[in-house]
């Protein structure tokens, strides 16, 4: 398989693991080696997802404060479900609901609203009491599809111009702004 630049990888990421692999492997899912490459990636990622992953600065403290204040917190990700749950348990133990990409019947991945609706169901709250916080175009679309307001963060994966181009309307510059 060819090597890709960091810029290429940044463009590949954000729409789930399968699409990442379809973008990275020449001819995507049509490549005769795709299934093997996908299985290898999945196995490697499950064994090494904690190797270089780190929370953004100040996020653990902000989430702890929000949890102490009584806010219900969830993570909805397009990472594999087991990896999402492992990462959340490891870095954010105060978060009890973590939903990733999985094969459950009737649960579509982001930008479909299904995982958000499932997170709200598990939290026991309605969307009128929720806000979606994210750093990508997929997050903006997911929030819209779920009927939630979206706060786009400017320390994340995409920059302000990209987010504006994809419909972002509310921004924060630092995690501490979530506490205001």
């Amino acid at each position: 398989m060819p090597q890709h630049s960091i810029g290429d990888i940044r463009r590949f990421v954000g729409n789930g693991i399968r699409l990442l692999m379809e973008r990275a492997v020449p001819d995507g899912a049509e490549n005769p080696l795709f299934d093997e490459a996908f299985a290898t990636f999945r196995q490697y990622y499950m064994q090494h997802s904690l190797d270089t992953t780190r929370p953004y600065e100040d996020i653990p403290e902000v989430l702890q404060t929000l949890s102490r204040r009584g806010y219900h917190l969830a993570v909805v990700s397009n990472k594999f479900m087991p990896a999402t749950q492992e990462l959340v348990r490891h870095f954010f133990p105060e978060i009890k609901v973590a939903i990733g990409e999985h094969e459950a019947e009737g649960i579509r991945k982001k930008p479909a609203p299904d995982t958000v609706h499932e997170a709200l169901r598990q939290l026991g709250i309605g969307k009128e009491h929720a806000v979606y916080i994210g750093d990508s175009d997929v997050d903006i679309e997911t929030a819209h599809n779920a009927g939630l307001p979206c706060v786009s963060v400017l320390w994340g994966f995409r920059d302000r111009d990209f987010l504006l181009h994809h419909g972002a309307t509310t921004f924060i510059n630092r995690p501490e702004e979530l506490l205001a």
Side-chain angles (χ1 to χ4, degrees):
M1 298 293 161
Q3 275 192 302
H4 294 287
S5 70
I6 299 261
D8 286 341
I9 298 300
R10 288 182 67 81
R11 284 189 299 279
F12 297 166
V13 170
N15 299 101
I17 301 297
R18 183 165 181 90
L19 193 51
L20 163 71
M21 291 299 295
E22 288 177 7
R23 292 169 175 161
V25 172
D27 299 321
E30 301 302 314
N31 187 311
L33 297 175
F34 179 80
D35 290 336
E36 181 183 350
F38 184 72
T40 299
F41 174 84
R42 183 183 176 109
Q43 179 182 11
Y44 182 87
Y45 189 77
M46 291 307 301
Q47 293 172 353
H48 298 278
S49 64
L50 289 170
D51 289 359
T52 58
T53 301
R54 301 290 175 266
Y56 288 114
E57 187 176 342
D58 298 325
I59 290 294
E61 297 81 8
V62 167
L63 294 177
Q64 290 167 7
T65 299
L66 290 170
S67 181
R68 279 194 310 272
R69 290 181 180 176
Y71 288 92
H72 301 282
L73 307 172
V75 169
V76 175
S77 176
N78 275 345
K79 290 179 177 61
F80 294 126
M81 175 75 105
T84 299
Q85 292 177 334
E86 178 183 18
L87 290 165
V88 169
R89 271 192 307 275
H90 182 78
F91 291 113
F92 314 118
E94 63 279 351
I95 296 179
K96 303 305 180 213
V97 175
I99 300 174
E101 182 177 310
H102 57 359
E103 293 82 29
E105 191 74 28
I107 304 277
R108 298 167 296 160
K109 67 178 185 158
K110 300 185 318 180
D114 303 20
T115 52
V116 174
H117 293 160
E118 178 60 18
L120 293 172
R121 185 193 69 74
Q122 288 185 31
L123 290 171
I125 63 170
K127 66 181 182 179
E128 65 278 1
H129 300 291
V131 64
Y132 191 106
I133 300 166
D135 67 352
S136 74
D137 53 323
V138 174
D139 292 320
I140 295 164
E141 189 176 352
T142 303
H144 174 77
N145 291 341
L148 296 177
C150 184
V151 175
S152 295
V153 304
L154 296 177
W155 63 83
F157 189 67
R158 305 286 188 196
D159 65 26
R160 182 184 192 91
D161 289 340
F162 180 92
L163 295 169
L164 277 170
H165 178 75
H166 287 88
T169 58
T170 305
F171 300 93
I172 58 174
N173 293 298
R174 296 181 334 275
E176 299 79 23
E177 292 177 57
L178 292 170
L179 302 175

